[in-house]
Each structure stands twice: as structure tokens, then as C-alpha cells.
Amino acid sequence: MTFRQSLDQIAPGVAEATELERERQESTLGMIASENHVSQAVLESQGSVLTNKYAEGYPGSRYYGGCQHVDTVEQLTIDYAKELFGADHVNVQPHSGTQANMAVYFAALEPGDKILSLSLSHGGHLSHGHSVNFSGQLYNVRQYEVDPETGYIDYDDLAAMANEFDPDMVVSGSSAYPREFDYARIGEVADKNDADHLADIAHVTGLIAAGVHSSPVEYANFVTGSTHKTIRAGRGGIIMCDEEHADEIDSAVFPGAQGGPLMHNIAGKAAGFSEALTDGFQVHAEQVVANAKTLADVFQRQGLSLVSGGTDKHLLLVDLRESHPDLTGKEAEELLSDVGIIVNKNTVPGETRSPMVTSGIRVGTPALTTRGFEADEMKTVGQLIVEVLDNPESDIVRDRVSTTVDELCEEFPIYE
Ligand SMILES: *Cc1c(COP(=O)(O)O)cnc(C)c1O
């Protein structure tokens, strides 16, 4: 009888890889801006019997029997989210941030309608209308960019583009733009053009929940987010809107874009949201931003160039072209990975290399802050990164940095 066997008995290769992944997370410095470490409570929720339950529909109105307890779970999740974000209506069922965006497009647009969004190479996201994504295939997309001089979004240009393009939806939000969006301004542009404003807060869900980043809730018709980046609620998505759009959004998620909700993930969201309602989470979120600013400071003192000259949030975008013209983003990612510092290569505004090579790296502070890193540790990490980039050929530097990374990881364990 296999039913009661453990994972290492049933699929030993998977159990082993999972254990190795746990060790990898403990023994490296995770600086991918979209990643984080969730709590025991979130892990517990996601590994629970809730995964067994079908619950198509919404609390109190399901297509299956036996939903009384998952109704409680989903309603509590919604209540926590409403309290966190001050939204009128919340849907916690999207399987991911992309699914959340899909549901908003399905609710608000017809195929062929026009979307104005930030270009991927200037910090946007695939699901904002890129040609390899359904959003670029179903809709007519025009994209705004950042000012090549300042690295900030040029809102006058955006407004002029909107006047000319006459979009049905204007999207704010990004994956690699280090500055806050002016949600009020984008809301105005959308209003003026009779368009909806979708604010995609995927990266900053936690910062907004904690009140350390401005909230688009009052300036956008729809707000979508992911639940696994700066908020530590496990992998998934969320949609917020006003009462007026509630039914459209709910039917666009189910049955429009998805089948049964992942109740175990919804429970994870509840756990993460409940944690985010504590004062401790606000202190954490402030530290996330403070750590990013400390890192920006170290980088700039050491001659690295940052897109927009710094950051307002949890991530930095390093443009290597001036300081390290011969080093690509891909090489920088590999060099850092070799010493246990995990970042991702990233295109920069005005990119001349391919997206698989790039001229930049994106560096984030959420996961390190979760481990307990503060200013002193961030200064050390910043120095280590600069040393590696400055000495790509040196085994001595590589060994020395690796040793310091090991020491930091041991001093700041995640789960042990
Ligand atoms: C991460 C992200 C998403 C969601 O991504 P998923 O991987 O589908 O959860 C959506 N929009 C933006 C801007 C993002 O950065």
C-alpha cells in the first residue's frame, strides 16, 4: 500500500531534489527580486488536505458538496486581504499573477481591444501584452517607455501616447522598474481616454500591504498582484476591484479562465496575509526598502550605474554598460552564482544585447531581509558583488567571497 509512504519512498529522486533545493536556499544569498521565503504556517497550509477539495464557485455558492470548511478558508482569506488593502472586492482564486491579469482582460476587454502598457525591456511584464504571451496575441498593444536620460517613466509622453492611441485599458506596474508608479497620474490618463486602469502590483504587493509603497487601490479600476514576491503568502495571484466590477471579475476567473480553485494555496494566502497584518511585517517591509537603498548606495559609491539612479522599493537594476562594458548580464549572473549570490540577468532600457544575454542585472532584497539582513550585512553583500564583477578572472576573489557568503548564510538560517 503506497498511500502511507513518504515522498522519499515513493519518488526518491524528487525527495532528494527537494532536500537539495532546501539546502541551496539555506546556503546561497537569494537576491532574485521576485523571490522570497515563506513561513512555516504558509508551508503547512500548502501541504495540507485542502489540496483534495474541489470547490468550483465562490464561498456560499459552489458546484460541489462538502464545501463548508473550504468556504471558511476562502472567506477568511478574502477578509484578511480586504483589511490589508482596503479594497471593496477581492478574488483570491487566481493561480498566479498572469492568471489574475488574464481574468481582468477577460472581464474588461474584447479581443482586439487596445492596451497601453510599459514595455518589457523597460521593466514591464510578459502578461502586459508581449507578443509571446496570450495578452499580446489577443489584444492590440502599444507600449510606453522610460525616459532614456532619467530612467523614470515619462508621464507626459505616456499621456500623449494615450491621446493618440485611444486605449481601452492603461496598465501600470512592472517587474524591473525601480521606482514607484504615479498611480494617480495614470488613473487620470485612463479616465481622460475613457479607458480602464489596471494596476499590476505583483512585485510590490507586500510593500503596499505594509504601507511603505503607495497604493493604487483608489486610482485603478482593477488591481492585480502575485502573492509570493514581497508578500510571503505562497505562490498565487489576487485581484481587487470596486463592487461595480465584482461579478464580472468573479466570472472571468471562474469559469472564464480557471476551473477549481487551489484551496491549499488559498489557505497559504490566508496565512501570509494574516502575517502581513502584524506590526512585525511593517517593520520587515520598511527594512526591505532600507536594504535596497543601502545596496544602491554601495553600488553607486563603487561606480556601478543604476537605472533611474537608485530605488524606491525592493529592487535595483544595474546597467553594466558603463562600468563593465565587456561584461554581459548573463556573465555577471554566472559569476555571482558561482560564489552563491543568486541574481538574474535583465535587459536595461535601450538594451542592445539579446534578452538571453542582456547588459544588466536585477538585484532584490526581500529574501535576504526575510533572513534577517540589515544595513551591515547589506553593505557586505554590496561589496562582495562589486568585487566579483570587478575581478571576473580572479580565483582568489572568488574563494574569498564564497567563504564570506557561507558565513553569512550560516549566521542567518532560514528554516533551521
Ligand atoms: C511576477 C509578475 C506577474 C505574475 O507572474 P506569475 O509568475 O504569473 O505569478 C505579473 N505581473 C508582473 C508585473 C510581475 O512582475
Side-chain angles (χ1 to χ4, degrees):
M1 174 60 175
T2 56
F3 192 71
R4 293 184 196 284
Q5 289 184 338
S6 61
L7 183 62
D8 62 344
Q9 290 171 308
I10 231 44
V14 172
E16 193 192 350
T18 306
E19 176 54 22
L20 289 171
E21 171 60 15
R22 193 192 62 77
E23 282 168 23
R24 187 195 67 79
Q25 291 181 20
E26 292 283 353
S27 65
T28 55
L29 300 179
M31 300 188 79
I32 291 179
S34 50
E35 290 183 358
N36 215 325
H37 307 290
V38 298
S39 67
Q40 286 300 342
V42 174
L43 289 178
E44 206 181 298
S45 314
Q46 293 196 334
S48 71
V49 295
L50 294 171
T51 196
N52 296 333
K53 190 71 196 98
Y54 244 111
E56 284 177 353
Y58 290 97
S61 134
R62 304 280 192 187
Y63 291 85
Y64 290 83
C67 285
Q68 60 272 40
H69 304 304
V70 294
D71 273 6
T72 306
V73 171
E74 185 167 349
Q75 192 56 52
L76 282 170
T77 314
I78 291 168
D79 294 344
Y80 288 136
K82 283 186 176 173
E83 193 178 340
L84 266 184
F85 298 102
D88 290 346
H89 181 73
V90 178
N91 187 307
V92 295
Q93 292 192 3
H95 302 333
S96 77
T98 297
Q99 296 293 113
N101 287 340
M102 176 183 271
V104 169
Y105 299 147
F106 284 3
L109 302 174
E110 297 294 330
D113 277 358
K114 297 189 219 171
I115 296 177
L116 180 62
S117 60
L118 180 62
S119 142
L120 183 69
S121 64
H122 288 238
H125 190 257
L126 288 168
S127 64
H128 294 179
H130 195 279
S131 58
V132 299
N133 183 264
F134 80 92
S135 55
Q137 292 154 12
L138 285 185
Y139 306 106
N140 175 1
V141 181
R142 181 94 46 107
Q143 300 206 293
Y144 56 92
E145 300 192 334
V146 301
D147 180 322
E149 292 302 311
T150 63
Y152 279 78
I153 286 164
D154 183 340
Y155 290 97
D156 291 333
D157 192 52
L158 188 163
M161 256 180 143
N163 288 341
E164 198 222 304
F165 181 53
D166 191 23
D168 299 289
M169 179 174 284
V170 183
V171 182
S172 60
S174 64
S175 302
Y177 179 61
R179 298 297 178 174
E180 286 203 31
F181 273 79
D182 187 342
Y183 297 116
R185 182 82 200 271
I186 295 191
E188 257 172 50
V189 170
D191 271 352
K192 187 161 171 275
N193 290 276
D194 256 338
D196 283 319
H197 174 198
L198 161 61
D200 176 349
I201 61 169
H203 260 263
V204 288
T205 311
L207 303 183
I208 290 171
V212 304
H213 183 293
S214 60
S215 168
V217 167
E218 67 176 295
Y219 305 114
N221 308 86
F222 307 98
V223 177
T224 55
S226 54
T227 53
H228 46 269
K229 294 181 183 174
T230 48
I231 199 157
R232 299 172 295 195
R235 204 148 283 280
I238 183 173
I239 305 175
M240 298 171 245
C241 63
D242 44 29
E243 272 310 329
E244 184 196 336
H245 295 100
D247 289 346
E248 283 164 62
I249 284 295
D250 287 351
S251 16
V253 174
F254 170 82
Q258 296 185 174
L262 310 178
M263 289 311 313
H264 54 305
N265 276 21
I266 290 175
K269 291 172 195 178
F273 292 167
S274 177
E275 288 163 19
L277 283 164
T278 62
D279 295 342
F281 186 76
Q282 189 184 343
V283 174
H284 159 78
E286 281 164 5
Q287 192 66 52
V288 167
V289 177
N291 282 350
K293 290 181 191 285
T294 299
L295 197 60
D297 207 46
V298 175
F299 282 169
Q300 283 176 314
R301 276 169 209 265
Q302 303 287 334
L304 289 186
S305 162
L306 301 179
V307 172
S308 84
T311 183
D312 297 331
K313 43 200 200 192
H314 62 297
L315 68 85
L316 314 173
L317 189 55
V318 181
D319 184 341
L320 295 164
R321 288 176 298 189
E322 246 172 67
S323 59
H324 299 79
D326 299 326
L327 195 62
T328 67
K330 179 170 188 277
E331 287 162 344
E333 177 189 303
E334 284 163 2
L335 281 169
L336 290 167
S337 177
D338 281 347
V339 297
I341 299 175
I342 312 301
V343 304
N344 63 277
K345 60 179 176 284
N346 213 100
T347 52
V348 291
E351 183 61 71
T352 44
R353 296 184 172 112
S354 91
M356 288 308 290
V357 180
T358 80
S359 304
I361 51 172
R362 188 183 65 161
V363 185
T365 55
L368 291 188
T369 311
T370 294
R371 283 184 100 130
F373 280 35
E374 294 182 1
D376 284 348
E377 293 79 28
M378 289 319 298
K379 284 181 197 158
T380 307
V381 172
Q383 292 291 353
L384 297 178
I385 290 175
V386 172
E387 261 182 82
V388 170
L389 299 181
D390 284 352
N391 301 281
E393 313 280 347
S394 167
D395 292 344
I396 297 171
V397 168
R398 197 185 58 206
D399 292 347
R400 187 155 37 81
V401 172
S402 291
T403 307
T404 312
V405 168
D406 290 345
E407 287 164 4
L408 280 168
C409 290
E410 263 167 49
E411 196 184 338
F412 294 89
I414 307 164
Y415 292 112
E416 26 207 55

